[in-house]
Amino acid sequence: MLPLHLGSPMFIKSFVKTEFGFRPVSVEVALVPGVSQIQILGLADQLIKESSRRIISALRHQGFRVPPGKQVLVNLHPSDLRKSGQGLDLAIALGILLESEQIELQNFKTQEDYCYGSLSLKGEVIAPSDLQLLNYENFSRKVMSGQSDKSWRFTVEEVTELRSLNERSVKEPCPESFSCQETTFNEDISFEQPMARLLAMVALGEHPLLIAGYAGCGKTTLVENLATVLNPPAPKAFLEAKKCWMLSGRDLQTRPVVQPHHSATPAAMIGGGRPLKFGEISLAHGGALILDELLEFNPLVQSALREPMEKGVIYLSRTGARQMFPADTLVLATTNLCPCGHFQPGATYKCQCSSLRLRQYIEKLTGPFLDRFAIFHLYEKPKLDFKMTLKEIKDWVQSGKEFQKQIRGQEKVNQKLCVSELLDELDESITDTLIPYSKSHRRRQSLLRVARTLADLETSETIKQAHLEEAQRWTASDIYKLERFRMEDFAMR
Ligand SMILES: [Zn+2]
């Protein structure tokens, strides 16, 4: 008996959808003797499997056919990945047409260019809505798809129906439509010192902030306004943020600011579930996460946020596989220090809470979590009658950013600088012994980072002694005050 000659299989490049965007796949099409039908192999979901009947109908309406006496085998690589997606129809149909020599394709390299489109029963090619996800991947090849009024960051060759696969119209990339627009802010609201200084410092350096104070002192207004005067995020971070928003069904035009309610569960904050889904911290990626009334959140939220606050990413596991989600955000938190909201260490007490309730409340703020905040500030009534409008603060922050870029040649924010980089920037007159003592490495890092921001706000190329002393007040003094209070004052109330 003569061996069967099956020919070399055809490969077309396409995409499938995963928990976090698109992944390239190879669609292998082979014709083997058998009943005329399409068999899809390689862990495809129901959505993809249904496409075989649609493709047969589309081919017929367009004057093509599945070759009689041949079975079409479609194998999706890599074979171990579960696959879903709306756009494999076009790749499979193209593979059949090329393999059975029913068409010749011009100016399209099947080894390099991609195909992503769904088909109507009559063979019209449609651009699937999830193709937009590809805008947020690092992708620069050509894609063949249906017509759409959307903007793309890559070249799309639009095709209307299967019989006109060689009459494609080229749509050039339009990267500018994906840039971050400016956030609107309340120009006229003003802040007294030292709050205005705190606002400028956090906005420029992007240092995580926890501000504690009695109810009605204005801490929520402060952080909400702070989030509106941040400098634009890096383009890469903004694209990742747009992708997260798109995956949750929303569009993002400005730097994201996310303010979850304190009833949010740890899973809602960092992500989880089945299918795996990211949380609020990923929606805040590249922007700010406001945690108003931090101690009212589930205590597990604090431990859940520690890793992403440190690393800027979050790893979630599902059936043995680990998926990384972006989670690089500026955390701005506020809290009362007692359940009634009136307690303030060292101030005249209007607080009605019992010592036990007060202790239980404050002890909800764990040391390791507090350590993640570069700045911890106990609100005090301002003593100076000097105010700055938010417009003035924003201008100050922008000129600080210009100084960082133009004079110091630094692109990243100060919160991302490491200790060795910062030590190099100390004024010559400062020796190690002049750097205030810190209990933890993180506190020392925060001290130097905040001092660098204070120097930038004053357009000073080096970090001076005065910057270190002020940074010590913002990064450590109030933590010591709180710790002292925890040890001594409870008994005295
Ligand atoms: Zn109270």
Side-chain angles (χ1 to χ4, degrees):
M1 193 174 139
L2 289 170
L4 280 174
H5 178 67
L6 300 177
S8 58
M10 172 65 58
F11 285 93
I12 309 285
K13 285 179 177 285
S14 189
F15 303 98
V16 290
K17 208 173 146 186
T18 65
E19 286 98 351
F20 196 57
F22 266 18
R23 195 165 150 180
V25 288
S26 260
V27 180
E28 179 187 6
V29 178
L31 301 174
V32 294
V35 183
S36 287
Q37 62 174 6
I38 300 174
Q39 284 276 11
I40 300 176
L41 315 167
L43 289 181
D45 74 347
Q46 196 56 30
L47 194 71
I48 296 175
K49 283 184 178 156
E50 276 174 8
S51 66
S52 59
R53 282 185 231 159
R54 203 162 45 234
I55 293 165
I56 289 171
S57 166
L59 289 172
R60 280 197 187 137
H61 271 91
Q62 296 281 314
F64 303 113
R65 59 181 183 167
V66 174
K70 297 274 176 162
Q71 184 178 184
V72 180
L73 288 182
V74 177
N75 193 18
L76 306 174
H77 300 270
S79 51
D80 59 338
L81 174 76
R82 290 207 169 273
K83 298 167 193 79
S84 183
Q86 304 168 14
L88 285 176
D89 294 8
L90 182 61
I92 297 170
L94 180 63
I96 296 170
L97 292 175
L98 291 174
E99 180 68 5
S100 58
E101 297 176 348
Q102 295 181 70
I103 61 158
E104 270 182 31
L105 197 58
Q106 287 142 22
N107 302 321
F108 194 85
K109 296 175 185 155
T110 50
Q111 296 85 13
E112 293 174 18
D113 302 332
Y114 286 74
C115 243
Y116 195 75
S118 53
L119 294 175
S120 73
L121 294 177
K122 290 189 172 173
E124 294 131 336
V125 181
I126 301 152
S129 58
D130 61 6
L131 180 58
Q132 283 186 79
L133 280 172
L134 195 55
N135 278 325
Y136 312 116
E137 305 287 349
N138 185 15
F139 179 81
S140 56
R141 299 292 323 170
K142 196 156 78 177
V143 179
M144 189 200 291
S145 189
Q147 284 180 324
S148 163
D149 54 3
K150 299 276 187 309
S151 301
W152 309 111
R153 284 181 62 241
F154 46 89
T155 306
V156 174
E157 292 196 347
E158 292 182 341
V159 58
T160 52
E161 54 184 355
L162 284 180
R163 67 166 77 96
S164 56
L165 282 175
N166 281 322
E167 294 152 37
R168 305 184 296 275
S169 55
V170 179
K171 201 166 175 181
E172 296 294 341
C174 180
E176 57 279 7
S177 57
F178 297 88
S179 51
C180 183
Q181 291 171 18
E182 199 165 332
T183 309
T184 50
F185 66 102
N186 183 352
E187 294 194 9
D188 302 323
I189 190 171
S190 56
F191 292 90
E192 291 159 311
Q193 294 292 16
M195 290 301 107
R197 198 165 175 80
L198 176 65
L199 257 158
M201 195 167 61
V202 175
L204 177 61
E206 301 193 10
H207 309 294
L209 165 72
L210 172 58
I211 179 162
Y214 52 87
C217 71
K219 53 193 188 302
T220 306
T221 310
L222 182 112
V223 293
E224 284 174 353
N225 281 286
L226 203 169
T228 64
V229 293
L230 298 172
N231 287 306
K236 182 173 173 278
F238 185 63
L239 273 181
E240 288 167 341
K242 268 180 91 74
K243 180 175 165 186
C244 293
W245 280 61
M246 212 216 130
L247 282 164
S248 68
R250 287 174 284 174
D251 190 24
L252 179 73
Q253 299 291 336
T254 56
R255 193 165 189 178
V257 178
V258 177
Q259 189 167 357
H261 189 258
H262 56 68
S263 60
T265 61
M269 291 298 288
I270 62 159
R274 205 183 161 120
L276 208 54
K277 202 173 169 301
F278 52 80
E280 300 282 342
I281 193 154
S282 295
L283 288 174
H285 174 71
L289 179 72
I290 296 179
L291 303 175
D292 196 20
E293 296 309 340
L294 178 68
L295 296 188
E296 296 293 328
F297 280 79
N298 180 333
L300 292 175
V301 165
Q302 290 187 28
S303 43
L305 287 177
R306 268 161 40 193
E307 185 196 345
M309 279 179 78
E310 189 80 14
K311 296 180 179 159
V313 292
I314 180 112
Y315 292 94
L316 299 173
S317 299
R318 187 192 54 134
T319 53
R322 246 156 68 103
Q323 170 73 49
M324 187 185 82
F325 293 98
D328 191 2
T329 184
L330 169 61
V331 178
L332 304 171
T334 74
T335 188
N336 292 328
L337 289 174
C338 75
C340 83
H342 292 294
F343 175 70
Q344 181 84 357
T348 320
Y349 301 136
K350 284 193 221 157
C351 168
Q352 300 297 314
C353 306
S354 67
S355 291
L356 180 65
R357 284 196 76 198
L358 181 59
R359 177 183 284 273
Q360 284 170 339
Y361 200 76
I362 294 188
E363 283 180 353
K364 283 204 263 181
L365 183 63
T366 62
F369 187 55
L370 182 59
D371 219 19
R372 259 69 177 183
F373 290 93
I375 300 177
F376 173 67
H377 182 63
L378 286 169
Y379 180 84
E380 281 174 46
K381 215 170 166 36
K383 297 178 183 82
L384 295 169
D385 194 22
F386 173 74
K387 287 188 172 185
M388 276 181 101
T389 64
L390 198 56
K391 172 84 174 70
E392 289 168 325
I393 294 169
K394 189 178 166 81
D395 291 345
W396 193 15
V397 173
Q398 275 177 343
S399 57
K401 189 77 196 169
E402 283 303 303
F403 174 76
Q404 280 179 352
K405 272 191 189 170
Q406 309 295 342
I407 310 295
R408 295 207 296 106
Q410 178 186 304
E411 286 293 330
K412 57 186 170 185
V413 294
N414 289 343
Q415 181 61 24
K416 301 264 186 272
L417 296 175
C418 62
V419 168
S420 59
E421 287 172 292
L422 288 155
L423 288 175
D424 288 345
E425 309 219 348
L426 289 176
D427 198 77
E428 282 173 0
S429 62
I430 301 173
T431 58
D432 240 15
T433 51
L434 286 169
I435 299 174
Y437 168 75
S438 295
K439 273 191 207 161
S440 77
H441 173 70
R442 272 200 204 95
R443 277 294 120 213
R444 182 179 159 87
Q445 202 169 37
S446 297
L447 171 87
L448 289 165
R449 285 168 173 170
V450 171
R452 179 63 264 173
T453 303
L454 290 166
D456 286 338
L457 285 170
E458 289 175 5
T459 59
S460 165
E461 285 191 54
T462 56
I463 301 172
K464 300 203 166 89
Q465 185 63 27
H467 302 134
L468 281 172
E469 283 167 7
E470 186 181 347
Q472 172 75 356
R473 290 201 291 281
W474 291 112
T475 59
S477 299
D478 285 352
I479 289 182
Y480 297 151
K481 206 188 261 184
L482 188 73
E483 280 176 0
R484 246 192 342 265
F485 170 78
R486 276 173 165 171
M487 285 186 288
E488 299 163 8
D489 285 12
F490 279 122
M492 293 164 64
R493 283 186 81 243

